[in-house]
Amino acid sequence: MQIVRHSEQTLKTALISKNPVLVSQYEKLDAGEQRLMNEAFQPASDLFGPITLHSPSDWITSHPEAPQDFEQFFSDPYRKTPSPDKRSIYIQSIGSLGNTRLISEEYIKWLTGYCKAYFYGLRAKLLEPVPVSTTRCSFRVNENTQNLQIHAGDILKFLKKKKPENAFCIVGITMIDLYPRDSWNFVSGQASDRLGVGMFSFARYGSDFYSMRHEGKVKKLKKTSSSDYSIFDNCYIPEITSVLLLRSCKTLTHEIGHIFGLRHCQWLACLMQGSNHLEEADRRPLNLCPICLRKLQCAVGFSIVEKRRKALVRWIDDESSDTPGATPEHSREDNGNFSKLVEAFKEWKEWIIKCLAVLQK
């Protein structure tokens, strides 16, 4: 195990900059916000710790990248920011997200609510769900998993055409595995900050993706017509669990962060760290480090960090108590599971409350 630890001065420069204009901007922040962000370069901080590498296959080791400090982010001429008439994040679900309509609707409602709180100040809106056939994408059966996959690039083209006029970005989500090109095994997602589009799959976040045979898996490769989308009628859909929801929220906000121009973080333990595998993604926290938080604050324009954190706590509290009412076509078991879906967010809530204590000191 290796600890990536930067000096206090390095972290201070990465956060505040030596540019007098950016230093002045920082000094105009609310005192509580400065107090919280200054935790970045406090060695004894229990809010923001160093990055821990567990194996040579971890992202930073296997994908060397130049770090991006706040000044580099601020000065990027190609970075796109929301404008007064383009302040909406649209979410487009493709294919079923749950084994029942109720589960699909609640799952995407939770993702949208989380996205709205995370990118506080922007609007998060749902588009009407569409079946795979609507996208006219290419698809295949993966030789390793025998699971169906859809072509990520084709989906991005579909989303680009559907992007509303007032959208800052549009992101597609699916429970179907993705592949970017024929030579690749799979990809969890793809995004274009230039076009403001992204596509993400949560299929491999199911606990049994690799270990069980599912309805919709194909036991042997068979030829299908490129227009025969009926093969997706019984496609594998993982069970919606608290852990899957947590992983989905991480992926969605990480990738939208890229659309805002945030590169992979190499400063502190942070949501914007890259990940090569599920174990590394699970170690990645839900929170942004202060350096990446300042980038997001600059991009989105939320002025009070405290309001954003309170919105995140409200999301957790609301979803903990918001159990859908029973209807004839939905089982009592479904309703019981909904109330437990934010269990994996308990540590995250406790961490936010610690941050609020620093902000309000």
Side-chain angles (χ1 to χ4, degrees), residues 44-63:
S45 173
D46 63 348
L47 293 176
F48 305 103
I51 295 173
T52 302
L53 302 179
H54 288 250
S55 74
S57 66
D58 282 359
W59 183 273
I60 289 180
T61 305
S62 57
H63 291 81

Side-chain angles (χ1 to χ4, degrees), residues 59-84:
W59 183 273
I60 289 180
T61 305
S62 57
H63 291 81
E65 297 174 89
Q68 180 197 48
D69 60 22
F70 176 75
E71 183 174 348
Q72 290 168 320
F73 171 84
F74 184 85
S75 305
D76 183 353
Y78 302 106
R79 177 173 62 83
K80 294 188 181 299
T81 57
S83 59

Side-chain angles (χ1 to χ4, degrees), residues 212-230:
M212 294 179 64
R213 302 198 68 82
H214 305 279
E215 182 181 14
K217 278 198 172 186
V218 182
K219 293 183 179 180
K220 59 181 180 179
L221 296 178
K222 62 179 181 181
K223 292 184 178 180
T224 59
S225 165
S226 60
S227 59
D228 182 15
Y229 292 96
S230 63

Side-chain angles (χ1 to χ4, degrees), residues 25-221:
Q25 285 184 12
Y26 188 80
E27 291 173 346
K28 290 177 183 177
L29 292 176
D30 175 86
E33 294 180 51
Q34 288 190 50
R35 202 160 44 240
L36 179 64
M37 291 192 179
N38 287 350
E39 289 279 323
F41 43 85
Q42 305 300 326
S45 173
D46 63 348
L47 293 176
F48 305 103
I51 295 173
T52 302
L53 302 179
H54 288 250
S55 74
S57 66
D58 282 359
W59 183 273
I60 289 180
T61 305
S62 57
H63 291 81
E65 297 174 89
Q68 180 197 48
D69 60 22
F70 176 75
E71 183 174 348
Q72 290 168 320
F73 171 84
F74 184 85
S75 305
D76 183 353
Y78 302 106
R79 177 173 62 83
K80 294 188 181 299
T81 57
S83 59
D85 59 339
K86 294 183 184 293
R87 295 188 64 81
S88 294
I89 296 171
Y90 283 88
I91 299 177
Q92 172 72 72
S93 63
I94 298 171
S96 296
L97 298 180
N99 290 314
T100 70
R101 189 183 70 182
L102 177 65
I103 293 174
S104 291
E105 290 173 352
E106 288 300 311
Y107 174 63
I108 195 168
K109 185 197 79 171
W110 283 324
L111 283 177
T112 305
Y114 187 78
C115 190
K116 183 177 180 180
Y118 208 92
F119 299 103
Y120 183 79
L122 298 185
R123 294 177 290 272
K125 298 183 178 181
L126 286 173
L127 293 172
E128 192 68 25
V130 298
V132 177
S133 57
T134 300
T135 70
R136 311 310 297 171
C137 67
S138 301
F139 59 88
R140 72 180 186 184
V141 175
N142 184 288
E143 293 182 357
N144 299 312
T145 67
Q146 299 299 295
N147 245 330
L148 287 164
Q149 294 181 301
I150 52 180
H151 192 280
D154 289 349
I155 302 293
L156 290 180
K157 292 176 184 176
F158 166 77
L159 293 171
K160 180 186 174 185
K161 293 177 182 177
K162 282 207 67 177
K163 186 178 178 184
E165 284 294 320
N166 67 339
F168 169 71
C169 66
I170 179 172
V171 293
I173 59 174
T174 187
M175 286 296 183
I176 303 167
D177 210 23
L178 298 174
Y179 72 103
R181 56 178 69 96
D182 290 342
S183 60
W184 280 50
N185 181 25
F186 78 99
V187 69
S188 295
Q190 278 191 314
S192 168
D193 54 352
R194 183 175 61 86
L195 299 175
V197 297
M199 179 63 204
F200 320 116
S201 169
F202 308 132
R204 293 179 181 242
Y205 292 165
S207 60
D208 53 0
F209 181 86
Y210 298 95
S211 60
M212 294 179 64
R213 302 198 68 82
H214 305 279
E215 182 181 14
K217 278 198 172 186
V218 182
K219 293 183 179 180
K220 59 181 180 179
L221 296 178

Side-chain angles (χ1 to χ4, degrees), residues 17-18 23 69 76 78 91 139 225 250 307-308 320 334-335:
S17 169
K18 292 183 178 179
V23 172
D69 60 22
D76 183 353
Y78 302 106
I91 299 177
F139 59 88
S225 165
K250 279 186 181 182
K307 287 184 178 180
R308 174 180 175 268
S320 295
D334 284 343
N335 288 304

Side-chain angles (χ1 to χ4, degrees), residues 110 314-324 338-339 342:
W110 283 324
R314 275 197 307 274
W315 177 85
I316 297 171
D317 288 342
D318 289 348
E319 301 312 336
S320 295
S321 59
D322 183 16
T323 303
F338 283 131
S339 62
V342 291

Side-chain angles (χ1 to χ4, degrees), residues 275-293:
S275 59
N276 266 345
H277 44 80
L278 188 57
E279 292 82 0
E280 187 176 19
D282 282 344
R283 290 195 300 267
R284 187 173 59 189
L286 273 166
N287 61 279
L288 294 170
C289 75
I291 297 162
C292 291
L293 178 61

